[in-house]
Amino acid sequence: MTQYDTKYDVAIIGGGAAGLMCAIEAGKRGRSVVVIESGKSVAGKIRISGGGRCNFTNIHCRPSNFYSENNHFCKSALKRYGPQEFIRMVENHDIAYHEKTLGQLFCDNSANDIITMLVKECDWAGVKIKTNEMAENIKKSEVGYAFNISEEAIECASLVIASGGPSIPKMGATGFGYDVARDFKLKIVDPVPALVPLTFGEDFIFDFRDLAGVAVDVRVKCAKTAFDEALLFTHKGLSGPAILQISSYWRSGMDIIVNLAPNNNVFEELKAVKESSPKQEIHTALSAILPKRLAIYLCEHSKVWGPLADLSHKKIQSVADQVNAWQLKPNGTEGFATAEVTRGGVSTHELSSKTMESNRNPGLFFIGEVVDVTGHLGGFNFQWAWASGHAAGQYV
Ligand SMILES: Cc1cc2nc3c(=O)[nH]c(=O)nc-3n(C[C@H](O)[C@H](O)[C@H](O)COP(=O)(O)OP(=O)(O)OC[C@H]3O[C@@H](n4cnc5c(N)ncnc54)[C@H](O)[C@@H]3O)c2cc1C
């Protein structure tokens, strides 16, 4: 017997979105492929994604929906495998889907439809999947790379790291891929939680506890980036799509500016009500623009109360400013425990944007979330997983 029990053309560590897509493409090319997955079954994150319905892509996908130290890196892979390519696979499997909002495509029934499709495609492509297995002791070998799983020593010509990022550790997510990258001397862009609720100091939480559950459509801005989506007050701070989106751009110490009524010039509207209905209380007038609980809170917080006729323009302006340009300083995020993705990861300067192969370690590939490419909320992260998996699958 040789030093190794089994040889494959391609070994993929991680049976998530990116790893399975890569396996399918490599298998279709006639390569012998094994997927090593540490979980009991593959694709745990697909199963829980999109509230159980998997927002599997976004029809408006553009390179500007992704951030990275090198914003050009994602272009090549996305150009060769865009949303339409994945939609074609979904339709070939007769999976019912719908557009929810802003180009976001979800399964009608269940995220399991996507997993079943990927596993079936792997099967058709002759891919071997080994679950409940951790790859250990990864090293270079004569033909490429070698590693151990529980009772097997595996050698492969191409090794693909598709182990995701450390977000949601209770699902078994770890920084494994970064450790492999470091072992092979690749640079890592500091991984931090992204698409994550923002947290605030004790005073804020105390103040805003009564607003928990209130949702409002806002424009939230951090430095030069802005998003128009819903904001949700929670017991811990702020969440909802607008906050998750901006969290990926927020850095410690920065302020965010929230416009709670982006389609209203609140000062002008309150002035108009003052003229037409001078006896109307300011919080009542504001309740026509904002949820009532929030309107009352803002008036109390600004210490501006009573009939509009009794209020100076300066006082009305101070309330309007709270609505149209509310400035807040988060003290942190909820961290990897609830982050949907990880910003940062294996530096794109280390990889070929065409193949995802390490520039200094031929035969070693990194795909999906482990790479320093992070998508906006709305199906973009899966699209990156499909596109980067597909790109590597053509070359492994
Ligand atoms: C709650 C939640 C909801 C989300 N919803 C959406 C959504 O609707 N749309 C969207 O676009 N994105 C969504 N995302 C983000 C999306 O899930 C990720 O971007 C995507 O799963 C990344 O794919 P990946 O294959 O790179 O990594 P993963 O899907 O994380 O797959 C990595 C796999 O590798 C395995 N693994 C890890 N280490 C090892 C090891 N040492 N050995 C063997 N196997 C290992 C893991 O068990 C895992 O199965 C969501 C994320 C979360 C947490």
Side-chain angles (χ1 to χ4, degrees):
M1 201 168 83
T2 61
Q3 193 187 352
Y4 300 103
D5 302 317
T6 331
K7 286 190 182 178
Y8 293 92
D9 294 326
V10 185
I12 300 170
I13 316 268
L20 294 177
M21 178 57 80
C22 181
I24 292 163
E25 289 304 313
K28 283 201 290 201
R29 288 174 44 236
R31 311 286 279 157
S32 61
V33 183
V34 66
V35 175
I36 307 296
E37 165 57 47
S38 56
K40 277 196 207 115
S41 53
V42 293
K45 281 199 182 158
I46 297 181
R47 187 165 292 110
I48 60 159
S49 67
R53 289 224 162 87
C54 185
N55 176 194
F56 55 79
T57 192
N58 192 301
I59 52 175
H60 304 309
C61 182
R62 309 256 182 290
S64 57
N65 296 117
F66 299 85
Y67 40 85
S68 163
E69 251 186 15
N70 173 7
N71 285 327
H72 300 291
F73 183 83
C74 63
K75 288 181 182 172
S76 167
L78 289 169
K79 198 167 171 189
R80 284 173 290 146
Y81 196 89
Q84 290 311 322
E85 280 68 30
F86 192 75
I87 292 167
R88 199 169 305 131
M89 190 193 282
V90 168
E91 289 180 349
N92 285 343
H93 284 256
D94 292 324
I95 295 173
Y97 67 92
H98 61 279
E99 180 183 345
K100 199 167 171 191
T101 174
L102 304 169
Q104 302 168 5
L105 301 190
F106 285 76
C107 297
D108 283 0
N109 300 316
S110 159
N112 283 327
D113 290 350
I114 299 294
I115 302 175
T116 305
M117 171 187 84
L118 294 169
V119 170
K120 214 183 264 179
E121 290 274 345
C122 278
D123 199 31
W124 292 343
V127 171
K128 195 171 266 183
I129 297 177
K130 289 175 182 274
T131 54
N132 261 327
E133 292 284 5
M134 290 286 284
E136 283 172 349
N137 193 21
I138 296 175
K139 54 181 187 290
K140 283 195 168 153
S141 76
E142 240 170 63
V143 304
Y145 294 85
F147 59 92
N148 296 93
I149 54 173
S150 53
E151 290 183 351
E152 217 177 327
I154 293 178
E155 194 181 29
C156 56
S158 295
L159 178 66
V160 183
I161 306 299
S163 51
S167 53
I168 322 277
K170 71 172 184 228
M171 291 187 73
T174 66
F176 170 84
Y178 310 142
D179 295 339
V180 176
R182 282 189 202 100
D183 287 348
F184 287 94
K185 311 278 181 263
L186 272 66
K187 194 180 147 239
I188 306 290
V189 177
D190 201 17
V192 291
L195 298 183
V196 62
L198 295 174
T199 56
F200 296 83
E202 282 298 312
D203 294 353
F204 177 95
I205 305 300
F206 183 75
D207 262 14
F208 280 79
R209 244 184 331 207
D210 291 344
L211 292 176
V214 170
V216 56
D217 286 335
V218 303
R219 172 169 303 141
V220 61
K221 216 172 156 214
C222 184
K224 289 182 183 157
T225 308
F227 290 96
D228 287 293
E229 290 204 48
L231 172 149
L232 177 70
F233 290 88
T234 72
H235 288 284
K236 292 188 196 161
L238 296 178
S239 187
I243 294 299
L244 299 188
Q245 296 280 34
I246 211 68
S247 72
S248 301
Y249 290 86
W250 178 80
R251 308 283 184 280
S252 184
M254 286 170 100
D255 283 348
I256 59 169
I257 312 279
V258 182
N259 185 342
L260 292 162
N263 300 316
N264 304 75
N265 182 330
V266 173
F267 178 57
E268 291 302 328
E269 290 185 30
L270 291 178
K271 253 188 352 179
V273 180
K274 181 178 175 177
E275 275 172 31
S276 61
S277 316
K279 287 188 184 159
Q280 192 167 118
E281 304 256 337
I282 186 166
H283 73 273
T284 309
L286 204 52
S287 298
I289 300 170
L290 295 175
K292 192 173 172 190
R293 269 201 281 164
L294 182 56
I296 292 174
Y297 168 79
L298 288 171
C299 293
E300 279 177 348
H301 192 248
S302 314
K303 298 189 176 59
V304 178
W305 206 249
L308 283 158
D310 298 349
L311 300 174
S312 66
H313 281 178
K314 198 173 163 200
K315 284 194 167 171
I316 294 175
Q317 181 80 64
S318 72
V319 174
D321 286 348
Q322 285 270 305
V323 180
N324 281 140
W326 187 30
Q327 192 162 348
L328 291 156
K329 194 183 284 298
N331 71 354
T333 74
E334 285 188 12
F336 283 119
T338 57
E340 277 202 14
V341 285
T342 307
R343 195 183 73 212
V346 177
S347 170
T348 52
H349 298 293
E350 301 281 4
L351 308 174
S352 154
S353 63
K354 191 172 173 197
T355 66
M356 306 293 139
E357 190 173 17
S358 160
N359 297 326
R360 31 177 134 186
N361 302 279
L364 179 63
F365 298 73
F366 291 84
I367 56 174
E369 192 178 325
V370 75
V371 178
D372 171 35
V373 173
T374 309
H376 289 170
L377 189 76
F380 301 103
N381 284 296
F382 278 137
Q383 187 55 46
W384 169 246
W386 315 135
S388 58
H390 175 269
Q394 309 303 308
Y395 291 93
V396 285

